[in-house]
Amino acid sequence: MPLLINQQLIENDPWQLLTDDEQALPSDGAVILPLARFEQARADGSILQLAPLVSGDDDINALLEQADALALVAIEIPAFTDGRGFSFARILRRAGFKGQIRAIGDVTRDRLAFLTRCGFDAFQIADDRYSDDILSALAEISVNYQGSADEPRPIYNR
Amino acid sequence: MYQYTEVDQKLVDERVEQYRDQTRRFLAGELPDEEFRALRLMNGLYIQRQAPMLRVAIPYGLMSSRQLRQLAHIARTYDKGYGHFTTRTNIQYNWPTLESVPDILAELAKVQMHAIQTSGNCIRNTTTDPYAGVNANEIEDPRPYCEIIRQWSTLHPEFAYLPRKFKIAVTGGPEDRAASQVHDIGLHIVKNDAGEVGFEVLVGGGLGRTPVIGKVVNPFLAKEDLLSYLDAILRVYNLNGRRDNKYKARIKILVNALGVDKFRELVDTEWAYTRDELRLPAGEIERAKGHFTPFDYQADAVNNDLQDKLATDADFRTWYEANTVAHKVPGYSVAVVSLKPYLQPAGDITDIQMDAVAELADQFSGGEIRSTHDQNLVLADVKEGDLYALWQALAAQNLARPNVGKLTDMIVCPGFDYCSLANARTLNIADQINEKFEQVDYLHDIGDISLNMSGCINACGHHHVGNIGILGVDKKGEDWYQLTLGGSSGADASLGKVLGKAVAADDVANTLDKLLTKYIEVREGEESFLETVRRTGLDPFKEAVYAPAH
């Protein structure tokens, strides 16, 4: 499954995504876990490098206090029509989170520009929806009235 | 009116090319139906019963004569020669082809227009008072704020995939001609005790299956905080609105579930984060206001022969009394162009009529036209001395029926004939009502009344807030019509109450006749229909309609 980070196709991603709670944790490495399991693993003092997978019904605010300690937050987009992820990323960036925000799930071309503006910098895209020119989606509209992750000021305050 | 900057123009131009490519990819099979659906809706394109339907935005209902001519050109070139004005002051074309839509959008962009976010689960066109800037009771012209909201909401990256659609209406004073209390957000320009002008903010109004009057979430919002506060409301809604059931996804359901006090708390918490970042500088508000400067009124306009004309031409007088409204400047008048001619669909207008109205706007009203919530057009700055010539020219185009605010000035959705959501026909019922009441001798005696009709529970015809509401329902394959009484979309907004069991299609006009006869019988003094219903309740009207004949 192609992974784009900072608009680059990444071949060797260290992160392993474990969404099945029955699946055992690896002995070492970097793991993305659903939020509840992530919190449990942290509480258990896991030596793994851990990142949370946040989905729509989770409370993003719960992550903000520990955000400095995280290298990555993954946000699940269960369906492209579910816009909660946009606000999650926006809230994380607003809180000063500097790590990677990775979109996982129903991530396709025509949402990439808005996702990027809200603060996502990594996209995991299904094989059959990936094409080499997919990043041209980011260049379609050059005018932004609103603030965005790289320029928080709206157009009238720039 | 607002003129695009280079930046605004670039956005709509780029948007056209973006949509052109999306259409190309869809037709090439590269874009799944479901994804293209969301993209085309956000560019105004529905797939309807007969053909695609394209809804073009008329931001806060204001257009120039040049823009209206372009809308006529589009009707002529890409459609069957007409368009349909909607209750949210937009225009719809019912017969474009899917393949031609990118070209239509390009034609719109040439005159600073677009179809962005006229559908879809996003922030829709902001609407306002069609008499903005020209009515004496206004505290401030709401249109600069509408334009500020338009820019903020256009291609907002965070709020393009909301739980459901989101509509904002703004009023400039105590009167409400924008149905603001049945919008997701209603903004009312108000003055506080200190004499400062700001906004009363209502949230969670709406029609559809669950009609609700909006609740006050903030009694006074400073102008500079307008966008940060809207932003906070939208974020709370985006994160907390229901997504499991599209019929429970509007913000009204969230506000009702939480209670407005809890909802306000969530908004205030969120607001604290963005209040500084999104603060509107005074200069930006002034920039927007600079686009809505008063018309160049002439003091000698008071010297005219209007009274002579009114005294000598009874037909003109009838039109003048029904279809013009007082202007704040002496010697001027606001003229309403009725899009409710006899036996024509409400809100429909041909390309020839559009060209004619554009011409009259140039000749008599500063080249500007407004579209109204009631599906009419307005020429807002006509000299009293020009009204007679204007009336004659409108009459020649079948645009001068003297029925504004009267029974036949109905709001009617397109119904089953066009719409794939509808359960029942509406256009035939509107015709039936027109036929019944065109000649009755007491029609002039009924006075101001609103009759709103929807062909299904989605309530695009706003039946809940009509003084009389008519809802088409399907019963075992037959069209039946349920009536409600006592609704209002004005400053005293209220939801109509169901009269009783639905009536058959061929009995709607007769039922109205019984209701109106009863009204004339029981009204006191100059009481309007609405006032009478509010005083008496529904009982006398139920009896008039359902009691067995003696």
Side-chain angles (χ1 to χ4, degrees), chain A residues 80-84 86-88 90 94 108-111 114 117 129 140-143 145-146 154 156-157, chain B residues 7-8 10 14 18 25 31 35 151-152 154 156-158 161 227 235 238 243 270 273-274 277-279 281:
Chain A
F80 77 92
T81 51
D82 187 334
R84 288 176 291 189
F86 295 94
S87 287
F88 282 171
R90 156 108 178 126
R94 182 174 77 193
T108 43
R109 184 187 189 281
D110 296 293
R111 260 64 51 195
F114 282 177
R117 288 179 60 197
R129 301 305 307 281
E140 287 172 346
I141 307 277
S142 64
V143 174
Y145 288 127
Q146 310 80 8
Y156 53 82
N157 280 340
Chain B
V7 169
D8 302 322
K10 192 170 185 195
E14 290 178 346
Q18 181 189 48
R25 284 189 281 129
L31 198 50
E35 285 183 33
Q151 295 189 18
W152 162 77
T154 297
H156 197 298
E158 190 181 344
Y161 295 91
L227 293 187
R235 188 164 302 109
N238 191 39
R243 291 175 183 270
E270 187 51 49
Y273 287 107
T274 48
E277 194 175 288
L278 292 179
R279 181 167 285 134

Short mmCIF file of all heavy atoms in Angstrom, two decimals, chain A residues 80-84 86-88 90 94 108-111 114 117 129 140-143 145-146 154 156-157, chain B residues 7-8 10 14 18 25 31 35 151-152 154 156-158 161 227 235 238 243 270 273-274 277-279 281:
data_model
loop_
_atom_site.label_atom_id
_atom_site.label_comp_id
_atom_site.label_asym_id
_atom_site.label_seq_id
_atom_site.Cartn_x
_atom_site.Cartn_y
_atom_site.Cartn_z
N PHE A 80 -14.58 8.36 3.17
CA PHE A 80 -14.08 9.68 2.77
C PHE A 80 -15.05 10.79 3.15
O PHE A 80 -14.67 11.94 3.30
CB PHE A 80 -13.80 9.71 1.26
CG PHE A 80 -15.02 9.83 0.39
CD1 PHE A 80 -15.48 11.08 0.00
CD2 PHE A 80 -15.72 8.70 -0.03
CE1 PHE A 80 -16.62 11.21 -0.80
CE2 PHE A 80 -16.86 8.82 -0.82
CZ PHE A 80 -17.31 10.07 -1.20
N THR A 81 -16.33 10.42 3.35
CA THR A 81 -17.34 11.41 3.71
C THR A 81 -17.30 11.80 5.18
O THR A 81 -17.98 12.73 5.59
CB THR A 81 -18.74 10.86 3.41
OG1 THR A 81 -18.83 9.56 4.01
CG2 THR A 81 -18.99 10.74 1.92
N ASP A 82 -16.53 11.06 5.97
CA ASP A 82 -16.47 11.34 7.41
C ASP A 82 -15.40 12.40 7.67
O ASP A 82 -14.20 12.12 7.64
CB ASP A 82 -16.15 10.04 8.17
CG ASP A 82 -16.24 10.23 9.68
OD1 ASP A 82 -16.05 11.38 10.16
OD2 ASP A 82 -16.48 9.24 10.38
N GLY A 83 -15.82 13.62 7.92
CA GLY A 83 -14.90 14.74 7.98
C GLY A 83 -14.29 15.00 9.35
O GLY A 83 -13.62 16.02 9.54
N ARG A 84 -14.50 14.10 10.30
CA ARG A 84 -13.97 14.38 11.64
C ARG A 84 -12.44 14.44 11.65
O ARG A 84 -11.84 15.20 12.41
CB ARG A 84 -14.48 13.34 12.64
CG ARG A 84 -15.95 13.52 12.95
CD ARG A 84 -16.47 12.44 13.87
NE ARG A 84 -16.52 11.13 13.20
CZ ARG A 84 -17.10 10.06 13.72
NH1 ARG A 84 -17.65 10.12 14.92
NH2 ARG A 84 -17.13 8.92 13.06
N PHE A 86 -10.44 15.75 9.61
CA PHE A 86 -9.94 17.09 9.29
C PHE A 86 -9.79 17.92 10.57
O PHE A 86 -8.80 18.61 10.78
CB PHE A 86 -10.89 17.81 8.33
CG PHE A 86 -11.02 17.17 6.97
CD1 PHE A 86 -12.02 16.26 6.69
CD2 PHE A 86 -10.12 17.50 5.96
CE1 PHE A 86 -12.15 15.69 5.43
CE2 PHE A 86 -10.24 16.94 4.69
CZ PHE A 86 -11.26 16.02 4.43
N SER A 87 -10.82 17.83 11.43
CA SER A 87 -10.77 18.61 12.67
C SER A 87 -9.74 18.04 13.65
O SER A 87 -9.08 18.79 14.37
CB SER A 87 -12.16 18.65 13.33
OG SER A 87 -13.04 19.50 12.61
N PHE A 88 -9.61 16.72 13.66
CA PHE A 88 -8.59 16.10 14.54
C PHE A 88 -7.20 16.65 14.21
O PHE A 88 -6.44 17.05 15.10
CB PHE A 88 -8.57 14.58 14.34
CG PHE A 88 -9.68 13.85 15.05
CD1 PHE A 88 -9.88 12.50 14.81
CD2 PHE A 88 -10.52 14.49 15.95
CE1 PHE A 88 -10.90 11.81 15.45
CE2 PHE A 88 -11.53 13.81 16.60
CZ PHE A 88 -11.73 12.46 16.35
N ARG A 90 -6.42 19.34 12.60
CA ARG A 90 -6.37 20.78 12.90
C ARG A 90 -6.12 21.02 14.39
O ARG A 90 -5.31 21.86 14.77
CB ARG A 90 -7.69 21.39 12.44
CG ARG A 90 -8.08 22.65 13.12
CD ARG A 90 -7.95 23.85 12.20
NE ARG A 90 -8.41 25.03 12.92
CZ ARG A 90 -7.71 26.13 13.06
NH1 ARG A 90 -6.52 26.25 12.52
NH2 ARG A 90 -8.19 27.14 13.73
N ARG A 94 -2.84 22.73 16.05
CA ARG A 94 -3.08 23.93 16.86
C ARG A 94 -2.43 23.80 18.23
O ARG A 94 -1.93 24.76 18.80
CB ARG A 94 -4.59 24.12 17.00
CG ARG A 94 -4.99 25.34 17.76
CD ARG A 94 -6.49 25.49 17.72
NE ARG A 94 -7.16 24.58 18.62
CZ ARG A 94 -8.46 24.32 18.61
NH1 ARG A 94 -9.23 24.88 17.71
NH2 ARG A 94 -8.99 23.48 19.48
N THR A 108 -8.17 9.08 -0.47
CA THR A 108 -8.08 9.12 -1.93
C THR A 108 -7.77 10.52 -2.42
O THR A 108 -7.81 11.50 -1.67
CB THR A 108 -9.39 8.60 -2.57
OG1 THR A 108 -10.50 9.16 -1.88
CG2 THR A 108 -9.46 7.09 -2.49
N ARG A 109 -7.47 10.58 -3.70
CA ARG A 109 -6.90 11.77 -4.32
C ARG A 109 -7.62 13.08 -4.01
O ARG A 109 -6.98 14.08 -3.67
CB ARG A 109 -6.91 11.55 -5.84
CG ARG A 109 -6.26 12.65 -6.63
CD ARG A 109 -6.47 12.42 -8.13
NE ARG A 109 -5.68 13.33 -8.92
CZ ARG A 109 -6.01 14.60 -9.17
NH1 ARG A 109 -7.10 15.10 -8.64
NH2 ARG A 109 -5.24 15.35 -9.91
N ASP A 110 -8.94 13.08 -4.13
CA ASP A 110 -9.65 14.35 -4.12
C ASP A 110 -9.84 14.95 -2.73
O ASP A 110 -10.47 16.00 -2.61
CB ASP A 110 -10.97 14.20 -4.87
CG ASP A 110 -10.72 13.88 -6.33
OD1 ASP A 110 -10.18 14.74 -7.04
OD2 ASP A 110 -10.99 12.73 -6.75
N ARG A 111 -9.32 14.31 -1.72
CA ARG A 111 -9.30 14.88 -0.38
C ARG A 111 -7.89 15.33 0.03
O ARG A 111 -7.70 15.93 1.08
CB ARG A 111 -9.79 13.87 0.66
CG ARG A 111 -11.23 13.99 1.14
CD ARG A 111 -12.26 13.77 0.11
NE ARG A 111 -12.03 12.54 -0.60
CZ ARG A 111 -12.62 12.22 -1.75
NH1 ARG A 111 -13.48 13.03 -2.32
NH2 ARG A 111 -12.34 11.09 -2.37
N PHE A 114 -7.21 19.20 0.96
CA PHE A 114 -7.83 19.66 2.21
C PHE A 114 -7.18 18.98 3.42
O PHE A 114 -6.95 19.61 4.46
CB PHE A 114 -9.33 19.39 2.22
CG PHE A 114 -10.15 20.37 1.39
CD1 PHE A 114 -11.52 20.20 1.26
CD2 PHE A 114 -9.57 21.47 0.78
CE1 PHE A 114 -12.29 21.09 0.52
CE2 PHE A 114 -10.33 22.37 0.03
CZ PHE A 114 -11.69 22.18 -0.10
N ARG A 117 -3.94 20.71 4.08
CA ARG A 117 -4.14 22.03 4.69
C ARG A 117 -4.52 21.93 6.16
O ARG A 117 -4.22 22.82 6.95
CB ARG A 117 -5.19 22.81 3.90
CG ARG A 117 -4.66 23.29 2.56
CD ARG A 117 -5.71 24.03 1.78
NE ARG A 117 -6.17 25.21 2.50
CZ ARG A 117 -7.29 25.87 2.21
NH1 ARG A 117 -8.05 25.44 1.22
NH2 ARG A 117 -7.63 26.93 2.90
N ARG A 129 -6.04 2.81 -5.83
CA ARG A 129 -6.40 4.22 -5.92
C ARG A 129 -5.17 5.12 -6.04
O ARG A 129 -5.26 6.33 -6.02
CB ARG A 129 -7.24 4.65 -4.70
CG ARG A 129 -8.54 3.90 -4.51
CD ARG A 129 -9.44 3.94 -5.76
NE ARG A 129 -9.67 5.28 -6.24
CZ ARG A 129 -10.55 6.14 -5.71
NH1 ARG A 129 -11.30 5.75 -4.71
NH2 ARG A 129 -10.70 7.34 -6.21
N GLU A 140 -4.14 21.86 -7.55
CA GLU A 140 -5.33 22.27 -8.31
C GLU A 140 -5.85 23.66 -7.94
O GLU A 140 -6.24 24.44 -8.79
CB GLU A 140 -6.45 21.23 -8.13
CG GLU A 140 -6.17 19.94 -8.88
CD GLU A 140 -7.15 18.83 -8.57
OE1 GLU A 140 -7.91 18.94 -7.58
OE2 GLU A 140 -7.15 17.84 -9.31
N ILE A 141 -5.89 23.93 -6.63
CA ILE A 141 -6.39 25.22 -6.16
C ILE A 141 -5.27 25.90 -5.38
O ILE A 141 -4.78 25.36 -4.39
CB ILE A 141 -7.61 25.05 -5.23
CG1 ILE A 141 -8.70 24.19 -5.89
CG2 ILE A 141 -8.13 26.43 -4.79
CD1 ILE A 141 -9.62 24.89 -6.83
N SER A 142 -4.86 27.08 -5.84
CA SER A 142 -3.75 27.75 -5.18
C SER A 142 -4.21 28.82 -4.19
O SER A 142 -3.43 29.37 -3.45
CB SER A 142 -2.84 28.38 -6.24
OG SER A 142 -3.55 29.39 -6.94
N VAL A 143 -5.51 29.14 -4.21
CA VAL A 143 -6.03 30.22 -3.37
C VAL A 143 -6.65 29.64 -2.10
O VAL A 143 -7.51 28.76 -2.17
CB VAL A 143 -7.12 31.01 -4.12
CG1 VAL A 143 -7.78 32.03 -3.19
CG2 VAL A 143 -6.54 31.70 -5.34
N TYR A 145 -8.54 31.00 1.23
CA TYR A 145 -9.07 32.09 2.05
C TYR A 145 -8.76 31.87 3.53
O TYR A 145 -8.55 32.80 4.28
CB TYR A 145 -10.59 32.20 1.89
CG TYR A 145 -11.07 32.75 0.56
CD1 TYR A 145 -12.00 32.05 -0.20
CD2 TYR A 145 -10.62 33.98 0.09
CE1 TYR A 145 -12.47 32.56 -1.40
CE2 TYR A 145 -11.08 34.49 -1.11
CZ TYR A 145 -12.01 33.77 -1.86
OH TYR A 145 -12.47 34.27 -3.04
N GLN A 146 -8.79 30.61 3.92
CA GLN A 146 -8.65 30.28 5.34
C GLN A 146 -7.18 30.04 5.69
O GLN A 146 -6.36 29.83 4.81
CB GLN A 146 -9.45 29.02 5.69
CG GLN A 146 -10.89 29.03 5.21
CD GLN A 146 -11.02 28.68 3.73
OE1 GLN A 146 -10.05 28.30 3.09
NE2 GLN A 146 -12.21 28.83 3.19
N PRO A 154 -5.74 33.52 8.35
CA PRO A 154 -6.64 33.63 7.20
C PRO A 154 -6.15 34.73 6.27
O PRO A 154 -5.31 35.54 6.64
CB PRO A 154 -7.99 33.97 7.83
CG PRO A 154 -7.64 34.62 9.14
CD PRO A 154 -6.37 33.98 9.59
N TYR A 156 -7.18 37.50 5.26
CA TYR A 156 -7.28 38.91 5.63
C TYR A 156 -6.31 39.30 6.74
O TYR A 156 -6.18 40.48 7.04
CB TYR A 156 -8.72 39.25 6.05
CG TYR A 156 -9.30 38.35 7.10
CD1 TYR A 156 -9.04 38.53 8.45
CD2 TYR A 156 -10.12 37.28 6.73
CE1 TYR A 156 -9.57 37.69 9.41
CE2 TYR A 156 -10.66 36.43 7.68
CZ TYR A 156 -10.38 36.64 9.02
OH TYR A 156 -10.89 35.80 9.97
N ASN A 157 -5.64 38.34 7.35
CA ASN A 157 -4.65 38.67 8.39
C ASN A 157 -3.22 38.39 7.95
O ASN A 157 -2.30 38.40 8.75
CB ASN A 157 -4.96 37.90 9.68
CG ASN A 157 -6.08 38.57 10.48
OD1 ASN A 157 -6.37 39.74 10.28
ND2 ASN A 157 -6.71 37.82 11.35
N VAL B 7 -7.45 37.48 -6.75
CA VAL B 7 -7.42 36.24 -5.96
C VAL B 7 -8.75 35.50 -6.06
O VAL B 7 -8.80 34.29 -6.30
CB VAL B 7 -7.09 36.57 -4.48
CG1 VAL B 7 -7.30 35.36 -3.59
CG2 VAL B 7 -5.66 37.07 -4.37
N ASP B 8 -9.85 36.23 -5.90
CA ASP B 8 -11.17 35.61 -6.01
C ASP B 8 -11.38 34.99 -7.39
O ASP B 8 -11.93 33.89 -7.52
CB ASP B 8 -12.28 36.66 -5.79
CG ASP B 8 -12.17 37.37 -4.45
OD1 ASP B 8 -11.83 36.71 -3.46
OD2 ASP B 8 -12.42 38.58 -4.40
N LYS B 10 -9.09 33.98 -9.48
CA LYS B 10 -8.22 32.82 -9.65
C LYS B 10 -8.85 31.58 -9.02
O LYS B 10 -8.81 30.49 -9.59
CB LYS B 10 -6.86 33.12 -9.00
CG LYS B 10 -5.78 32.14 -9.34
CD LYS B 10 -4.44 32.65 -8.84
CE LYS B 10 -3.33 31.72 -9.30
NZ LYS B 10 -2.09 31.97 -8.58
N GLU B 14 -9.67 28.30 -11.16
CA GLU B 14 -9.01 27.03 -10.83
C GLU B 14 -10.05 25.96 -10.48
O GLU B 14 -9.89 24.78 -10.80
CB GLU B 14 -8.03 27.22 -9.67
CG GLU B 14 -6.81 28.03 -10.07
CD GLU B 14 -5.83 28.27 -8.91
OE1 GLU B 14 -6.20 28.04 -7.74
OE2 GLU B 14 -4.71 28.71 -9.19
N GLN B 18 -10.48 22.26 -12.01
CA GLN B 18 -10.48 21.11 -11.11
C GLN B 18 -11.69 20.23 -11.39
O GLN B 18 -11.59 19.01 -11.50
CB GLN B 18 -10.52 21.59 -9.65
CG GLN B 18 -10.50 20.47 -8.63
CD GLN B 18 -10.75 20.99 -7.22
OE1 GLN B 18 -11.69 21.76 -6.99
NE2 GLN B 18 -9.91 20.58 -6.29
N ARG B 25 -12.29 12.37 -15.28
CA ARG B 25 -11.90 11.12 -14.62
C ARG B 25 -13.12 10.23 -14.36
O ARG B 25 -13.05 9.02 -14.47
CB ARG B 25 -11.16 11.41 -13.31
CG ARG B 25 -9.72 11.88 -13.55
CD ARG B 25 -8.94 11.96 -12.26
NE ARG B 25 -9.24 13.16 -11.51
CZ ARG B 25 -9.57 13.19 -10.22
NH1 ARG B 25 -9.64 12.06 -9.53
NH2 ARG B 25 -9.81 14.32 -9.62
N LEU B 31 -12.99 7.40 -11.43
CA LEU B 31 -13.50 7.95 -10.17
C LEU B 31 -14.80 7.21 -9.84
O LEU B 31 -15.74 7.23 -10.62
CB LEU B 31 -13.76 9.45 -10.39
CG LEU B 31 -13.89 10.39 -9.22
CD1 LEU B 31 -12.75 10.25 -8.23
CD2 LEU B 31 -13.95 11.82 -9.74
N GLU B 35 -17.71 8.77 -5.01
CA GLU B 35 -16.79 9.90 -4.82
C GLU B 35 -17.13 11.05 -5.75
O GLU B 35 -17.11 12.22 -5.36
CB GLU B 35 -15.34 9.47 -5.03
CG GLU B 35 -14.81 8.66 -3.86
CD GLU B 35 -13.34 8.29 -4.03
OE1 GLU B 35 -12.56 9.06 -4.64
OE2 GLU B 35 -12.97 7.19 -3.57
N GLN B 151 -16.44 34.22 1.72
CA GLN B 151 -15.03 33.92 1.48
C GLN B 151 -14.51 32.90 2.49
O GLN B 151 -13.81 31.96 2.13
CB GLN B 151 -14.21 35.21 1.50
CG GLN B 151 -14.62 36.14 0.36
CD GLN B 151 -13.71 37.33 0.20
OE1 GLN B 151 -12.59 37.35 0.69
NE2 GLN B 151 -14.20 38.35 -0.50
N TRP B 152 -14.87 33.10 3.75
CA TRP B 152 -14.41 32.17 4.78
C TRP B 152 -14.90 30.75 4.52
O TRP B 152 -14.18 29.77 4.70
CB TRP B 152 -14.88 32.66 6.16
CG TRP B 152 -14.85 31.61 7.22
CD1 TRP B 152 -13.75 31.15 7.89
CD2 TRP B 152 -15.96 30.85 7.73
NE1 TRP B 152 -14.12 30.17 8.79
CE2 TRP B 152 -15.46 29.98 8.71
CE3 TRP B 152 -17.33 30.84 7.44
CZ2 TRP B 152 -16.29 29.08 9.40
CZ3 TRP B 152 -18.15 29.97 8.14
CH2 TRP B 152 -17.62 29.10 9.10
N THR B 154 -15.86 29.41 1.63
CA THR B 154 -15.58 28.86 0.31
C THR B 154 -14.34 27.97 0.35
O THR B 154 -13.26 28.41 0.70
CB THR B 154 -15.38 30.00 -0.72
OG1 THR B 154 -16.59 30.73 -0.81
CG2 THR B 154 -15.02 29.44 -2.09
N HIS B 156 -13.57 25.76 2.42
CA HIS B 156 -12.99 25.61 3.76
C HIS B 156 -12.48 24.17 3.90
O HIS B 156 -13.25 23.22 3.78
CB HIS B 156 -14.03 25.92 4.84
CG HIS B 156 -13.40 26.18 6.17
ND1 HIS B 156 -12.65 25.23 6.83
CD2 HIS B 156 -13.35 27.29 6.94
CE1 HIS B 156 -12.19 25.76 7.96
NE2 HIS B 156 -12.60 27.00 8.04
N PRO B 157 -11.18 24.01 4.17
CA PRO B 157 -10.62 22.66 4.11
C PRO B 157 -11.14 21.73 5.20
O PRO B 157 -11.16 20.52 5.02
CB PRO B 157 -9.11 22.90 4.27
CG PRO B 157 -8.99 24.21 4.98
CD PRO B 157 -10.16 25.02 4.51
N GLU B 158 -11.58 22.31 6.30
CA GLU B 158 -11.98 21.47 7.44
C GLU B 158 -13.46 21.11 7.40
O GLU B 158 -13.88 20.12 7.97
CB GLU B 158 -11.65 22.22 8.74
CG GLU B 158 -11.78 21.39 9.99
CD GLU B 158 -11.47 22.21 11.25
OE1 GLU B 158 -10.86 23.29 11.13
OE2 GLU B 158 -11.84 21.76 12.34
N TYR B 161 -16.74 18.12 4.58
CA TYR B 161 -17.38 16.81 4.77
C TYR B 161 -18.05 16.78 6.14
O TYR B 161 -17.72 15.97 7.01
CB TYR B 161 -16.38 15.68 4.57
CG TYR B 161 -15.86 15.63 3.14
CD1 TYR B 161 -14.72 16.34 2.77
CD2 TYR B 161 -16.55 14.92 2.17
CE1 TYR B 161 -14.26 16.34 1.45
CE2 TYR B 161 -16.10 14.90 0.85
CZ TYR B 161 -14.96 15.61 0.51
OH TYR B 161 -14.52 15.59 -0.80
N LEU B 227 -16.12 35.47 12.51
CA LEU B 227 -15.63 34.23 11.90
C LEU B 227 -15.10 33.24 12.93
O LEU B 227 -15.27 32.03 12.77
CB LEU B 227 -14.56 34.53 10.85
CG LEU B 227 -15.07 35.28 9.61
CD1 LEU B 227 -13.96 35.38 8.58
CD2 LEU B 227 -16.30 34.63 9.00
N ARG B 235 -16.80 23.59 14.10
CA ARG B 235 -15.92 22.52 14.58
C ARG B 235 -16.64 21.63 15.59
O ARG B 235 -16.54 20.40 15.53
CB ARG B 235 -14.63 23.10 15.19
CG ARG B 235 -13.60 22.02 15.52
CD ARG B 235 -12.20 22.57 15.74
NE ARG B 235 -11.77 23.30 14.56
CZ ARG B 235 -11.64 24.62 14.49
NH1 ARG B 235 -11.86 25.36 15.56
NH2 ARG B 235 -11.28 25.20 13.38
N ASN B 238 -18.89 19.53 13.47
CA ASN B 238 -18.17 18.54 12.67
C ASN B 238 -17.74 17.35 13.52
O ASN B 238 -17.79 16.20 13.08
CB ASN B 238 -16.96 19.20 12.01
CG ASN B 238 -16.31 18.30 10.97
OD1 ASN B 238 -17.00 17.61 10.21
ND2 ASN B 238 -14.99 18.30 10.92
N ARG B 243 -23.45 11.02 12.57
CA ARG B 243 -23.12 10.58 11.21
C ARG B 243 -23.71 9.21 10.91
O ARG B 243 -23.48 8.66 9.83
CB ARG B 243 -21.60 10.55 11.01
CG ARG B 243 -20.97 11.94 11.02
CD ARG B 243 -19.46 11.89 10.93
NE ARG B 243 -18.87 13.23 11.01
CZ ARG B 243 -18.63 14.01 9.96
NH1 ARG B 243 -18.90 13.60 8.74
NH2 ARG B 243 -18.10 15.20 10.13
N GLU B 270 -14.12 25.95 22.47
CA GLU B 270 -13.46 25.90 21.18
C GLU B 270 -13.09 27.32 20.71
O GLU B 270 -12.01 27.55 20.16
CB GLU B 270 -14.42 25.23 20.19
CG GLU B 270 -13.84 24.94 18.84
CD GLU B 270 -12.54 24.19 18.90
OE1 GLU B 270 -12.46 23.17 19.61
OE2 GLU B 270 -11.58 24.64 18.23
N TYR B 273 -9.74 29.12 21.50
CA TYR B 273 -8.52 28.80 20.76
C TYR B 273 -8.32 29.68 19.53
O TYR B 273 -7.19 29.97 19.14
CB TYR B 273 -8.56 27.34 20.29
CG TYR B 273 -8.36 26.34 21.38
CD1 TYR B 273 -9.43 25.58 21.84
CD2 TYR B 273 -7.10 26.14 21.95
CE1 TYR B 273 -9.26 24.64 22.84
CE2 TYR B 273 -6.92 25.21 22.95
CZ TYR B 273 -8.00 24.47 23.40
OH TYR B 273 -7.81 23.54 24.38
N THR B 274 -9.41 30.02 18.87
CA THR B 274 -9.25 30.65 17.55
C THR B 274 -9.67 32.11 17.52
O THR B 274 -9.64 32.74 16.48
CB THR B 274 -10.10 29.89 16.50
OG1 THR B 274 -11.40 29.68 17.03
CG2 THR B 274 -9.47 28.58 16.15
N GLU B 277 -6.76 34.34 16.35
CA GLU B 277 -6.27 34.00 15.02
C GLU B 277 -7.24 34.46 13.93
O GLU B 277 -6.83 34.89 12.85
CB GLU B 277 -6.14 32.49 14.99
CG GLU B 277 -5.37 31.89 13.87
CD GLU B 277 -5.27 30.40 14.11
OE1 GLU B 277 -4.50 29.99 15.02
OE2 GLU B 277 -5.95 29.63 13.42
N LEU B 278 -8.53 34.34 14.20
CA LEU B 278 -9.52 34.64 13.17
C LEU B 278 -10.18 36.01 13.36
O LEU B 278 -11.15 36.32 12.69
CB LEU B 278 -10.61 33.56 13.16
CG LEU B 278 -10.18 32.18 12.67
CD1 LEU B 278 -11.33 31.20 12.73
CD2 LEU B 278 -9.65 32.25 11.25
N ARG B 279 -9.63 36.79 14.29
CA ARG B 279 -10.26 38.10 14.53
C ARG B 279 -10.27 38.93 13.25
O ARG B 279 -9.28 39.03 12.54
CB ARG B 279 -9.51 38.85 15.64
CG ARG B 279 -10.12 40.20 15.96
CD ARG B 279 -9.56 40.76 17.26
NE ARG B 279 -10.12 40.06 18.41
CZ ARG B 279 -9.43 39.61 19.45
NH1 ARG B 279 -8.13 39.79 19.50
NH2 ARG B 279 -10.03 38.99 20.44
N PRO B 281 -10.01 42.18 11.40
CA PRO B 281 -9.55 43.55 11.62
C PRO B 281 -10.58 44.54 11.07
O PRO B 281 -11.30 44.23 10.12
CB PRO B 281 -8.25 43.63 10.84
CG PRO B 281 -8.14 42.42 10.02
CD PRO B 281 -9.24 41.47 10.37
#
